[in-house]
Amino acid sequence: MQLRHLSRGLLRHWRLESLSDRVETVLAELVNNALVHGGGSAIGFRLTLTDAGLLVEVADSTAALVSQVVYEDPDEHGRGLLLVEAFADAWGTRPWGDAGKWTWATFTAPARTEGAR
């Protein structure tokens, strides 16, 4: 809940409220994946304002890079990355030090009105 509150506040500050639902969904999925599959010894996240929009990153302590997996209908788990793919404009992973990774997602900002900062 606090994570959603923090991200919503930053997006409001950056005048990107229209991205809130998508960003919150992706951030929740990436953090959940880090908790469940990421080793659990170090998890972090950051949101970065970019020229194009927003970069969301979640770090965990396993070096195994994430890739899209095809799941069969009876599977009950593992569809979080499908949500990430559906809501983010792009996503992927990159190494973090010797024993971890960042999973990232980007969101293109909607056209800003003149004068908005």
Side-chain angles (χ1 to χ4, degrees), residues 11 32 42 56 59:
L11 292 174
N32 184 62
V56 174

Side-chain angles (χ1 to χ4, degrees), residues 20-101:
S20 288
D21 291 337
R22 292 172 52 208
V23 168
E24 287 178 22
T25 299
V26 167
L27 186 55
E29 289 299 330
L30 295 181
V31 167
N32 184 62
N33 281 353
L35 288 169
V36 173
H37 306 289
S41 63
I43 295 172
F45 79 96
R46 62 185 174 201
L47 279 69
T48 305
L49 186 62
T50 67
D51 289 339
L54 186 71
L55 172 64
V56 174
E57 297 173 289
V58 175
D60 66 48
S61 56
T62 189
L65 298 182
V66 179
S67 62
Q68 184 66 9
V69 178
V70 176
Y71 294 95
E72 300 297 323
D73 285 336
D75 290 341
E76 293 182 17
H77 301 286
R79 291 189 167 76
L81 290 177
L82 292 174
L83 289 173
V84 171
E85 189 165 311
F87 288 122
D89 293 315
W91 74 276
T93 59
R94 62 181 170 75
W96 175 36
D98 293 333
K101 70 174 170 303

